[in-house]
Structure formats: C-alpha cells, structure tokens
Amino acid sequence: MRGRGAVPWSRRGRGGAARHGRWGWGGLGHGAAAARAGAAPGEAQLGTARFSSLLSLSEAMLRLRLLTWDVKDTLLQLRHPVGENYSAAARVHEVHVQPEALNKSFHQAYKAQSKHFPNYGLNQGLSSKQWWTDVVKQTFILAGVHEDRLLTTIAESLYQEFCSAQNWELLPGARETLRQCHQLGIRMAVISNFDKRLEKILSHCNLRHHFEFVLTSEEAGFAKPDQQIFQKALHISGVAPHQAAHVGDNYVRDYRAARGVGMHSFLLRRAGPANNWELEVPKQHVLPSLTHLLSVIEKG
C-alpha cells in the first residue's frame, strides 16, 4: 500500500508525456525544501543536488515495478545476414547458392508467410516449426532449388542452428544494462514476437536468468502490436499498466502498442536514416543506446 507521502504516477498528457514529472514519477516535493532549510547557499545547493539524485532514483524505482523487453534487434541481433546462414547450410549438402540471392528470397518468403499465416499460423493449424520449415523451403525455391527432401533436411538443420548462441550477438550495452537493472531490483520480463525457441536462445546467450518470465507470441496466442499480449504479461506479473514500462525497437509493435494499454515505453533508435516516427515520439522516450535507459529512468 502506498504511503501518504508517495506521489502516484500521473496520467499521460498529449504525446504520452506525464503531467507531473517526465515519467509521472513526481517531483521532489517537500523533501528537497526540507533539505535546503537552514543550510548555507553553497551547502544547500550541493546537499539538494545529492538529495535530489538519490530521491529521484528512489522514487523512480519504487514506482517502476516491471520492465519488459523486446528481444530481436533490441537485446539480440543476428550475427550474420540470414542468407549467409542459409548458404552455409546448403553447402553441407553440396548445394551452392549465393548468400545475396538467398537473403533476397528469404525476405520475400518471410513477408508472404507472415501475411498469409500470421503469428506462425497457430490459428490455421500450423506449428511454429512447420511455419519456419515452409519459409526455408520457399526461400530456396525462389532461389532456384526445388528438391523437397533436401530442403526438408536443410530446414531442420537451420531450425536447430538458430537456437545456438553462435548465431546471435548482444547489442552494445545490453548485458550491462540488464545487469544493472537486475542489481537495482527491477523486475524484468520479455514480450517478444518469437517462437518457443526463444527460451533456449536466451539461455544459451546467458540472459535468461535476468527475466521472471518470457512471453512469446507463440505462447500468448497473440502477436504485437495486439494489446492482448501486453495485457497477458501484466496479468502474469500482477503489475498495473502505469507501473510498468516496455523497451523495444519498433514504433508500432513496441512503443505505441505498450502505451496503448497504459504502460510507459522507451524506443531504441535504430541506426540508419531518419525514421518516420521521430516527430511522434518525445525525445525523452527515445534511447540512442541501451546504456541510456538507466539514466532516463533515474531522472524520473
């Protein structure tokens, strides 16, 4: 139960900005004024700065009860382009296809499969493994390889291979940011449009222990930006939306979807040209890198 002196998170105003403090965690209130009372000007400023820093962190941590994470391209990214992995898997069977051609055909196959069988085709009777098998086969077919039995073997190999840590790398600052959040006692979880292999991938990359639970779109039965996957995570954690925040790299699936259920959210900026959402997202909600997360939270 909240104490009488605690400042609750406020409702967001226009553009998602909180009315009382940047994230709605409130200001310092009467505590800072008390710290200033009776002190010399220089001492008061120094004392207030220290008190402000400590109280801001304390207030923020008290109110942020859950931090959820996207994974792909937020915490982890593929070490090599998909075409290189597919080409290497084919060479084992003496089938030679250029990685560039496979990379192009993969994006075509993935886009078509996602359109016709969203969220791994779970509502159409597919399993995620069969979904990926079909993507791999279609990728090679578009690149000119048509032997079905061979493609089934290659697809099985790739399905297992992408569970391995050797195919993934952490984004800069990911491990340190998670470690610091964990040390501060922030509860963390995953909300990701991924299949059931994600648990194994996180374990192999030595990240799984940071999270209370991992909620994939396959398990939830809903994929971001469907708000139901966020609502399910909140239900599992027992945390109210205004006491939770989400971190992800996609404006629609992560940032806007999380805010749609009343959560706070941070958007990790991708490298490259300017994004269409830049005018829509307040600067204080954008993370130039993962290492900026804690400093933004601590500002309150």
PDB file of all heavy atoms in Angstrom, residues 207-239:
ATOM      1  N   LEU A 207      21.337 -14.920 -20.852  1.00  0.00           N
ATOM      2  CA  LEU A 207      20.471 -13.793 -20.497  1.00  0.00           C
ATOM      3  C   LEU A 207      19.203 -14.224 -19.754  1.00  0.00           C
ATOM      4  O   LEU A 207      18.570 -13.396 -19.100  1.00  0.00           O
ATOM      5  CB  LEU A 207      20.045 -13.028 -21.758  1.00  0.00           C
ATOM      6  CG  LEU A 207      21.127 -12.337 -22.581  1.00  0.00           C
ATOM      7  CD1 LEU A 207      20.497 -11.637 -23.777  1.00  0.00           C
ATOM      8  CD2 LEU A 207      21.913 -11.334 -21.739  1.00  0.00           C
ATOM      9  N   ARG A 208      18.848 -15.489 -19.837  1.00  0.00           N
ATOM     10  CA  ARG A 208      17.554 -15.933 -19.328  1.00  0.00           C
ATOM     11  C   ARG A 208      17.360 -15.623 -17.843  1.00  0.00           C
ATOM     12  O   ARG A 208      16.243 -15.309 -17.403  1.00  0.00           O
ATOM     13  CB  ARG A 208      17.381 -17.443 -19.572  1.00  0.00           C
ATOM     14  CG  ARG A 208      16.065 -18.022 -19.032  1.00  0.00           C
ATOM     15  CD  ARG A 208      14.873 -17.398 -19.703  1.00  0.00           C
ATOM     16  NE  ARG A 208      13.607 -17.880 -19.175  1.00  0.00           N
ATOM     17  CZ  ARG A 208      12.985 -17.374 -18.112  1.00  0.00           C
ATOM     18  NH1 ARG A 208      13.555 -16.344 -17.467  1.00  0.00           N
ATOM     19  NH2 ARG A 208      11.845 -17.848 -17.703  1.00  0.00           N
ATOM     20  N   HIS A 209      18.420 -15.678 -17.055  1.00  0.00           N
ATOM     21  CA  HIS A 209      18.290 -15.511 -15.610  1.00  0.00           C
ATOM     22  C   HIS A 209      17.855 -14.106 -15.196  1.00  0.00           C
ATOM     23  O   HIS A 209      17.446 -13.881 -14.056  1.00  0.00           O
ATOM     24  CB  HIS A 209      19.615 -15.850 -14.921  1.00  0.00           C
ATOM     25  CG  HIS A 209      20.753 -14.956 -15.317  1.00  0.00           C
ATOM     26  ND1 HIS A 209      21.395 -15.081 -16.543  1.00  0.00           N
ATOM     27  CD2 HIS A 209      21.356 -13.923 -14.673  1.00  0.00           C
ATOM     28  CE1 HIS A 209      22.354 -14.172 -16.624  1.00  0.00           C
ATOM     29  NE2 HIS A 209      22.344 -13.449 -15.510  1.00  0.00           N
ATOM     30  N   HIS A 210      17.914 -13.150 -16.125  1.00  0.00           N
ATOM     31  CA  HIS A 210      17.507 -11.785 -15.799  1.00  0.00           C
ATOM     32  C   HIS A 210      15.986 -11.631 -15.753  1.00  0.00           C
ATOM     33  O   HIS A 210      15.489 -10.649 -15.186  1.00  0.00           O
ATOM     34  CB  HIS A 210      18.067 -10.801 -16.834  1.00  0.00           C
ATOM     35  CG  HIS A 210      19.546 -10.613 -16.764  1.00  0.00           C
ATOM     36  ND1 HIS A 210      20.182 -10.092 -15.657  1.00  0.00           N
ATOM     37  CD2 HIS A 210      20.529 -10.861 -17.672  1.00  0.00           C
ATOM     38  CE1 HIS A 210      21.484 -10.022 -15.877  1.00  0.00           C
ATOM     39  NE2 HIS A 210      21.710 -10.488 -17.094  1.00  0.00           N
ATOM     40  N   PHE A 211      15.247 -12.567 -16.341  1.00  0.00           N
ATOM     41  CA  PHE A 211      13.819 -12.366 -16.557  1.00  0.00           C
ATOM     42  C   PHE A 211      12.969 -13.312 -15.716  1.00  0.00           C
ATOM     43  O   PHE A 211      13.246 -14.510 -15.648  1.00  0.00           O
ATOM     44  CB  PHE A 211      13.482 -12.558 -18.037  1.00  0.00           C
ATOM     45  CG  PHE A 211      14.333 -11.719 -18.956  1.00  0.00           C
ATOM     46  CD1 PHE A 211      15.275 -12.312 -19.784  1.00  0.00           C
ATOM     47  CD2 PHE A 211      14.212 -10.335 -18.964  1.00  0.00           C
ATOM     48  CE1 PHE A 211      16.068 -11.550 -20.625  1.00  0.00           C
ATOM     49  CE2 PHE A 211      15.003  -9.563 -19.793  1.00  0.00           C
ATOM     50  CZ  PHE A 211      15.940 -10.157 -20.623  1.00  0.00           C
ATOM     51  N   GLU A 212      11.904 -12.759 -15.134  1.00  0.00           N
ATOM     52  CA  GLU A 212      10.968 -13.588 -14.380  1.00  0.00           C
ATOM     53  C   GLU A 212      10.219 -14.541 -15.301  1.00  0.00           C
ATOM     54  O   GLU A 212       9.947 -15.686 -14.936  1.00  0.00           O
ATOM     55  CB  GLU A 212       9.962 -12.711 -13.632  1.00  0.00           C
ATOM     56  CG  GLU A 212      10.547 -11.977 -12.444  1.00  0.00           C
ATOM     57  CD  GLU A 212       9.467 -11.325 -11.591  1.00  0.00           C
ATOM     58  OE1 GLU A 212       8.263 -11.581 -11.842  1.00  0.00           O
ATOM     59  OE2 GLU A 212       9.827 -10.559 -10.688  1.00  0.00           O
ATOM     60  N   PHE A 213       9.867 -14.057 -16.474  1.00  0.00           N
ATOM     61  CA  PHE A 213       9.190 -14.918 -17.437  1.00  0.00           C
ATOM     62  C   PHE A 213       9.466 -14.402 -18.844  1.00  0.00           C
ATOM     63  O   PHE A 213       9.838 -13.243 -19.049  1.00  0.00           O
ATOM     64  CB  PHE A 213       7.678 -14.994 -17.180  1.00  0.00           C
ATOM     65  CG  PHE A 213       6.956 -13.669 -17.266  1.00  0.00           C
ATOM     66  CD1 PHE A 213       6.451 -13.197 -18.472  1.00  0.00           C
ATOM     67  CD2 PHE A 213       6.765 -12.904 -16.123  1.00  0.00           C
ATOM     68  CE1 PHE A 213       5.780 -11.985 -18.547  1.00  0.00           C
ATOM     69  CE2 PHE A 213       6.086 -11.685 -16.181  1.00  0.00           C
ATOM     70  CZ  PHE A 213       5.591 -11.230 -17.393  1.00  0.00           C
ATOM     71  N   VAL A 214       9.294 -15.305 -19.804  1.00  0.00           N
ATOM     72  CA  VAL A 214       9.466 -14.984 -21.220  1.00  0.00           C
ATOM     73  C   VAL A 214       8.145 -15.282 -21.912  1.00  0.00           C
ATOM     74  O   VAL A 214       7.710 -16.435 -21.967  1.00  0.00           O
ATOM     75  CB  VAL A 214      10.608 -15.810 -21.855  1.00  0.00           C
ATOM     76  CG1 VAL A 214      10.666 -15.571 -23.364  1.00  0.00           C
ATOM     77  CG2 VAL A 214      11.941 -15.475 -21.202  1.00  0.00           C
ATOM     78  N   LEU A 215       7.492 -14.238 -22.405  1.00  0.00           N
ATOM     79  CA  LEU A 215       6.203 -14.404 -23.073  1.00  0.00           C
ATOM     80  C   LEU A 215       6.387 -14.188 -24.569  1.00  0.00           C
ATOM     81  O   LEU A 215       6.624 -13.078 -25.035  1.00  0.00           O
ATOM     82  CB  LEU A 215       5.187 -13.407 -22.512  1.00  0.00           C
ATOM     83  CG  LEU A 215       3.757 -13.512 -23.063  1.00  0.00           C
ATOM     84  CD1 LEU A 215       3.162 -14.890 -22.772  1.00  0.00           C
ATOM     85  CD2 LEU A 215       2.872 -12.413 -22.483  1.00  0.00           C
ATOM     86  N   THR A 216       6.286 -15.275 -25.324  1.00  0.00           N
ATOM     87  CA  THR A 216       6.403 -15.186 -26.780  1.00  0.00           C
ATOM     88  C   THR A 216       5.012 -15.096 -27.396  1.00  0.00           C
ATOM     89  O   THR A 216       4.005 -15.471 -26.781  1.00  0.00           O
ATOM     90  CB  THR A 216       7.118 -16.419 -27.361  1.00  0.00           C
ATOM     91  OG1 THR A 216       6.318 -17.586 -27.092  1.00  0.00           O
ATOM     92  CG2 THR A 216       8.498 -16.594 -26.730  1.00  0.00           C
ATOM     93  N   SER A 217       4.968 -14.627 -28.621  1.00  0.00           N
ATOM     94  CA  SER A 217       3.682 -14.552 -29.315  1.00  0.00           C
ATOM     95  C   SER A 217       3.124 -15.949 -29.555  1.00  0.00           C
ATOM     96  O   SER A 217       1.898 -16.130 -29.589  1.00  0.00           O
ATOM     97  CB  SER A 217       3.834 -13.792 -30.634  1.00  0.00           C
ATOM     98  OG  SER A 217       4.790 -14.415 -31.475  1.00  0.00           O
ATOM     99  N   GLU A 218       3.998 -16.941 -29.696  1.00  0.00           N
ATOM    100  CA  GLU A 218       3.511 -18.312 -29.872  1.00  0.00           C
ATOM    101  C   GLU A 218       2.792 -18.779 -28.611  1.00  0.00           C
ATOM    102  O   GLU A 218       1.702 -19.362 -28.679  1.00  0.00           O
ATOM    103  CB  GLU A 218       4.663 -19.267 -30.202  1.00  0.00           C
ATOM    104  CG  GLU A 218       4.190 -20.706 -30.353  1.00  0.00           C
ATOM    105  CD  GLU A 218       5.270 -21.673 -30.780  1.00  0.00           C
ATOM    106  OE1 GLU A 218       6.466 -21.317 -30.722  1.00  0.00           O
ATOM    107  OE2 GLU A 218       4.914 -22.806 -31.173  1.00  0.00           O
ATOM    108  N   GLU A 219       3.391 -18.522 -27.453  1.00  0.00           N
ATOM    109  CA  GLU A 219       2.778 -18.948 -26.199  1.00  0.00           C
ATOM    110  C   GLU A 219       1.507 -18.157 -25.901  1.00  0.00           C
ATOM    111  O   GLU A 219       0.492 -18.715 -25.475  1.00  0.00           O
ATOM    112  CB  GLU A 219       3.755 -18.780 -25.045  1.00  0.00           C
ATOM    113  CG  GLU A 219       3.172 -19.171 -23.695  1.00  0.00           C
ATOM    114  CD  GLU A 219       4.104 -18.874 -22.539  1.00  0.00           C
ATOM    115  OE1 GLU A 219       5.263 -18.497 -22.795  1.00  0.00           O
ATOM    116  OE2 GLU A 219       3.676 -19.006 -21.377  1.00  0.00           O
ATOM    117  N   ALA A 220       1.561 -16.845 -26.142  1.00  0.00           N
ATOM    118  CA  ALA A 220       0.423 -15.989 -25.802  1.00  0.00           C
ATOM    119  C   ALA A 220      -0.755 -16.204 -26.744  1.00  0.00           C
ATOM    120  O   ALA A 220      -1.913 -16.017 -26.357  1.00  0.00           O
ATOM    121  CB  ALA A 220       0.851 -14.523 -25.832  1.00  0.00           C
ATOM    122  N   GLY A 221      -0.456 -16.571 -27.988  1.00  0.00           N
ATOM    123  CA  GLY A 221      -1.513 -16.693 -28.985  1.00  0.00           C
ATOM    124  C   GLY A 221      -1.837 -15.369 -29.652  1.00  0.00           C
ATOM    125  O   GLY A 221      -2.748 -15.289 -30.478  1.00  0.00           O
ATOM    126  N   PHE A 222      -1.097 -14.338 -29.297  1.00  0.00           N
ATOM    127  CA  PHE A 222      -1.266 -13.001 -29.874  1.00  0.00           C
ATOM    128  C   PHE A 222       0.107 -12.420 -30.153  1.00  0.00           C
ATOM    129  O   PHE A 222       1.044 -12.630 -29.389  1.00  0.00           O
ATOM    130  CB  PHE A 222      -2.014 -12.073 -28.916  1.00  0.00           C
ATOM    131  CG  PHE A 222      -3.291 -12.642 -28.378  1.00  0.00           C
ATOM    132  CD1 PHE A 222      -3.340 -13.180 -27.105  1.00  0.00           C
ATOM    133  CD2 PHE A 222      -4.443 -12.658 -29.150  1.00  0.00           C
ATOM    134  CE1 PHE A 222      -4.508 -13.711 -26.596  1.00  0.00           C
ATOM    135  CE2 PHE A 222      -5.626 -13.187 -28.656  1.00  0.00           C
ATOM    136  CZ  PHE A 222      -5.664 -13.723 -27.372  1.00  0.00           C
ATOM    137  N   ALA A 223       0.219 -11.661 -31.214  1.00  0.00           N
ATOM    138  CA  ALA A 223       1.492 -11.037 -31.562  1.00  0.00           C
ATOM    139  C   ALA A 223       1.372  -9.520 -31.444  1.00  0.00           C
ATOM    140  O   ALA A 223       0.315  -8.951 -31.718  1.00  0.00           O
ATOM    141  CB  ALA A 223       1.918 -11.423 -32.983  1.00  0.00           C
ATOM    142  N   LYS A 224       2.453  -8.890 -31.009  1.00  0.00           N
ATOM    143  CA  LYS A 224       2.481  -7.430 -31.013  1.00  0.00           C
ATOM    144  C   LYS A 224       2.230  -6.942 -32.443  1.00  0.00           C
ATOM    145  O   LYS A 224       2.706  -7.564 -33.379  1.00  0.00           O
ATOM    146  CB  LYS A 224       3.853  -6.923 -30.527  1.00  0.00           C
ATOM    147  CG  LYS A 224       4.214  -7.331 -29.111  1.00  0.00           C
ATOM    148  CD  LYS A 224       5.580  -6.814 -28.695  1.00  0.00           C
ATOM    149  CE  LYS A 224       6.702  -7.408 -29.525  1.00  0.00           C
ATOM    150  NZ  LYS A 224       8.057  -6.988 -29.062  1.00  0.00           N
ATOM    151  N   PRO A 225       1.460  -5.893 -32.642  1.00  0.00           N
ATOM    152  CA  PRO A 225       1.005  -4.906 -31.661  1.00  0.00           C
ATOM    153  C   PRO A 225      -0.320  -5.209 -30.983  1.00  0.00           C
ATOM    154  O   PRO A 225      -0.893  -4.307 -30.363  1.00  0.00           O
ATOM    155  CB  PRO A 225       0.895  -3.645 -32.513  1.00  0.00           C
ATOM    156  CG  PRO A 225       0.461  -4.139 -33.852  1.00  0.00           C
ATOM    157  CD  PRO A 225       1.173  -5.457 -34.037  1.00  0.00           C
ATOM    158  N   ASP A 226      -0.836  -6.432 -31.075  1.00  0.00           N
ATOM    159  CA  ASP A 226      -2.068  -6.775 -30.370  1.00  0.00           C
ATOM    160  C   ASP A 226      -1.877  -6.510 -28.877  1.00  0.00           C
ATOM    161  O   ASP A 226      -0.950  -7.033 -28.252  1.00  0.00           O
ATOM    162  CB  ASP A 226      -2.397  -8.251 -30.601  1.00  0.00           C
ATOM    163  CG  ASP A 226      -3.807  -8.617 -30.173  1.00  0.00           C
ATOM    164  OD1 ASP A 226      -4.240  -8.146 -29.094  1.00  0.00           O
ATOM    165  OD2 ASP A 226      -4.465  -9.386 -30.888  1.00  0.00           O
ATOM    166  N   GLN A 227      -2.752  -5.713 -28.310  1.00  0.00           N
ATOM    167  CA  GLN A 227      -2.598  -5.321 -26.917  1.00  0.00           C
ATOM    168  C   GLN A 227      -2.765  -6.490 -25.959  1.00  0.00           C
ATOM    169  O   GLN A 227      -2.315  -6.430 -24.804  1.00  0.00           O
ATOM    170  CB  GLN A 227      -3.603  -4.220 -26.571  1.00  0.00           C
ATOM    171  CG  GLN A 227      -3.337  -2.909 -27.300  1.00  0.00           C
ATOM    172  CD  GLN A 227      -4.294  -1.813 -26.904  1.00  0.00           C
ATOM    173  OE1 GLN A 227      -5.178  -2.010 -26.070  1.00  0.00           O
ATOM    174  NE2 GLN A 227      -4.131  -0.635 -27.497  1.00  0.00           N
ATOM    175  N   GLN A 228      -3.365  -7.571 -26.428  1.00  0.00           N
ATOM    176  CA  GLN A 228      -3.619  -8.705 -25.533  1.00  0.00           C
ATOM    177  C   GLN A 228      -2.334  -9.358 -25.035  1.00  0.00           C
ATOM    178  O   GLN A 228      -2.317  -9.912 -23.932  1.00  0.00           O
ATOM    179  CB  GLN A 228      -4.502  -9.735 -26.245  1.00  0.00           C
ATOM    180  CG  GLN A 228      -5.909  -9.221 -26.482  1.00  0.00           C
ATOM    181  CD  GLN A 228      -6.786 -10.253 -27.175  1.00  0.00           C
ATOM    182  OE1 GLN A 228      -7.397 -11.107 -26.543  1.00  0.00           O
ATOM    183  NE2 GLN A 228      -6.849 -10.174 -28.492  1.00  0.00           N
ATOM    184  N   ILE A 229      -1.268  -9.300 -25.810  1.00  0.00           N
ATOM    185  CA  ILE A 229      -0.017  -9.904 -25.340  1.00  0.00           C
ATOM    186  C   ILE A 229       0.574  -9.079 -24.195  1.00  0.00           C
ATOM    187  O   ILE A 229       1.133  -9.615 -23.233  1.00  0.00           O
ATOM    188  CB  ILE A 229       0.994 -10.097 -26.488  1.00  0.00           C
ATOM    189  CG1 ILE A 229       2.170 -10.974 -26.028  1.00  0.00           C
ATOM    190  CG2 ILE A 229       1.488  -8.761 -27.036  1.00  0.00           C
ATOM    191  CD1 ILE A 229       3.095 -11.394 -27.158  1.00  0.00           C
ATOM    192  N   PHE A 230       0.418  -7.753 -24.262  1.00  0.00           N
ATOM    193  CA  PHE A 230       0.873  -6.906 -23.161  1.00  0.00           C
ATOM    194  C   PHE A 230      -0.004  -7.109 -21.927  1.00  0.00           C
ATOM    195  O   PHE A 230       0.490  -7.173 -20.799  1.00  0.00           O
ATOM    196  CB  PHE A 230       0.857  -5.440 -23.584  1.00  0.00           C
ATOM    197  CG  PHE A 230       1.886  -5.086 -24.614  1.00  0.00           C
ATOM    198  CD1 PHE A 230       1.577  -5.098 -25.960  1.00  0.00           C
ATOM    199  CD2 PHE A 230       3.178  -4.744 -24.241  1.00  0.00           C
ATOM    200  CE1 PHE A 230       2.527  -4.773 -26.919  1.00  0.00           C
ATOM    201  CE2 PHE A 230       4.144  -4.423 -25.176  1.00  0.00           C
ATOM    202  CZ  PHE A 230       3.813  -4.443 -26.522  1.00  0.00           C
ATOM    203  N   GLN A 231      -1.298  -7.214 -22.149  1.00  0.00           N
ATOM    204  CA  GLN A 231      -2.217  -7.427 -21.036  1.00  0.00           C
ATOM    205  C   GLN A 231      -1.951  -8.755 -20.347  1.00  0.00           C
ATOM    206  O   GLN A 231      -2.051  -8.862 -19.119  1.00  0.00           O
ATOM    207  CB  GLN A 231      -3.661  -7.354 -21.547  1.00  0.00           C
ATOM    208  CG  GLN A 231      -4.080  -5.957 -21.979  1.00  0.00           C
ATOM    209  CD  GLN A 231      -5.352  -5.931 -22.792  1.00  0.00           C
ATOM    210  OE1 GLN A 231      -5.811  -6.965 -23.292  1.00  0.00           O
ATOM    211  NE2 GLN A 231      -5.942  -4.750 -22.942  1.00  0.00           N
ATOM    212  N   LYS A 232      -1.585  -9.770 -21.125  1.00  0.00           N
ATOM    213  CA  LYS A 232      -1.271 -11.068 -20.530  1.00  0.00           C
ATOM    214  C   LYS A 232      -0.012 -10.979 -19.675  1.00  0.00           C
ATOM    215  O   LYS A 232       0.045 -11.561 -18.584  1.00  0.00           O
ATOM    216  CB  LYS A 232      -1.092 -12.128 -21.626  1.00  0.00           C
ATOM    217  CG  LYS A 232      -0.875 -13.526 -21.064  1.00  0.00           C
ATOM    218  CD  LYS A 232      -1.130 -14.599 -22.098  1.00  0.00           C
ATOM    219  CE  LYS A 232      -1.072 -15.985 -21.470  1.00  0.00           C
ATOM    220  NZ  LYS A 232      -1.460 -17.046 -22.422  1.00  0.00           N
ATOM    221  N   ALA A 233       0.985 -10.239 -20.143  1.00  0.00           N
ATOM    222  CA  ALA A 233       2.216 -10.062 -19.352  1.00  0.00           C
ATOM    223  C   ALA A 233       1.910  -9.339 -18.044  1.00  0.00           C
ATOM    224  O   ALA A 233       2.447  -9.701 -16.990  1.00  0.00           O
ATOM    225  CB  ALA A 233       3.246  -9.292 -20.167  1.00  0.00           C
ATOM    226  N   LEU A 234       1.071  -8.329 -18.102  1.00  0.00           N
ATOM    227  CA  LEU A 234       0.697  -7.600 -16.890  1.00  0.00           C
ATOM    228  C   LEU A 234      -0.059  -8.504 -15.931  1.00  0.00           C
ATOM    229  O   LEU A 234       0.130  -8.452 -14.714  1.00  0.00           O
ATOM    230  CB  LEU A 234      -0.147  -6.376 -17.255  1.00  0.00           C
ATOM    231  CG  LEU A 234       0.586  -5.264 -18.017  1.00  0.00           C
ATOM    232  CD1 LEU A 234      -0.414  -4.249 -18.556  1.00  0.00           C
ATOM    233  CD2 LEU A 234       1.637  -4.585 -17.141  1.00  0.00           C
ATOM    234  N   HIS A 235      -0.919  -9.363 -16.479  1.00  0.00           N
ATOM    235  CA  HIS A 235      -1.672 -10.305 -15.644  1.00  0.00           C
ATOM    236  C   HIS A 235      -0.728 -11.299 -14.960  1.00  0.00           C
ATOM    237  O   HIS A 235      -0.875 -11.586 -13.760  1.00  0.00           O
ATOM    238  CB  HIS A 235      -2.697 -11.041 -16.491  1.00  0.00           C
ATOM    239  CG  HIS A 235      -3.473 -12.083 -15.726  1.00  0.00           C
ATOM    240  ND1 HIS A 235      -4.464 -11.765 -14.828  1.00  0.00           N
ATOM    241  CD2 HIS A 235      -3.378 -13.441 -15.723  1.00  0.00           C
ATOM    242  CE1 HIS A 235      -4.955 -12.873 -14.297  1.00  0.00           C
ATOM    243  NE2 HIS A 235      -4.317 -13.903 -14.832  1.00  0.00           N
ATOM    244  N   ILE A 236       0.235 -11.808 -15.707  1.00  0.00           N
ATOM    245  CA  ILE A 236       1.195 -12.765 -15.136  1.00  0.00           C
ATOM    246  C   ILE A 236       1.978 -12.122 -14.003  1.00  0.00           C
ATOM    247  O   ILE A 236       2.201 -12.735 -12.949  1.00  0.00           O
ATOM    248  CB  ILE A 236       2.162 -13.271 -16.232  1.00  0.00           C
ATOM    249  CG1 ILE A 236       1.412 -14.128 -17.251  1.00  0.00           C
ATOM    250  CG2 ILE A 236       3.311 -14.069 -15.611  1.00  0.00           C
ATOM    251  CD1 ILE A 236       2.253 -14.485 -18.479  1.00  0.00           C
ATOM    252  N   SER A 237       2.380 -10.886 -14.200  1.00  0.00           N
ATOM    253  CA  SER A 237       3.216 -10.194 -13.211  1.00  0.00           C
ATOM    254  C   SER A 237       2.417  -9.609 -12.059  1.00  0.00           C
ATOM    255  O   SER A 237       2.969  -9.333 -10.990  1.00  0.00           O
ATOM    256  CB  SER A 237       4.008  -9.078 -13.892  1.00  0.00           C
ATOM    257  OG  SER A 237       3.125  -8.075 -14.384  1.00  0.00           O
ATOM    258  N   GLY A 238       1.125  -9.388 -12.278  1.00  0.00           N
ATOM    259  CA  GLY A 238       0.320  -8.760 -11.245  1.00  0.00           C
ATOM    260  C   GLY A 238       0.611  -7.283 -11.071  1.00  0.00           C
ATOM    261  O   GLY A 238       0.384  -6.714  -9.996  1.00  0.00           O
ATOM    262  N   VAL A 239       1.107  -6.650 -12.123  1.00  0.00           N
ATOM    263  CA  VAL A 239       1.502  -5.246 -12.069  1.00  0.00           C
ATOM    264  C   VAL A 239       0.515  -4.410 -12.874  1.00  0.00           C
ATOM    265  O   VAL A 239       0.091  -4.811 -13.962  1.00  0.00           O
ATOM    266  CB  VAL A 239       2.935  -5.062 -12.621  1.00  0.00           C
ATOM    267  CG1 VAL A 239       3.283  -3.582 -12.760  1.00  0.00           C
ATOM    268  CG2 VAL A 239       3.931  -5.753 -11.709  1.00  0.00           C
TER     269      VAL A 239
END
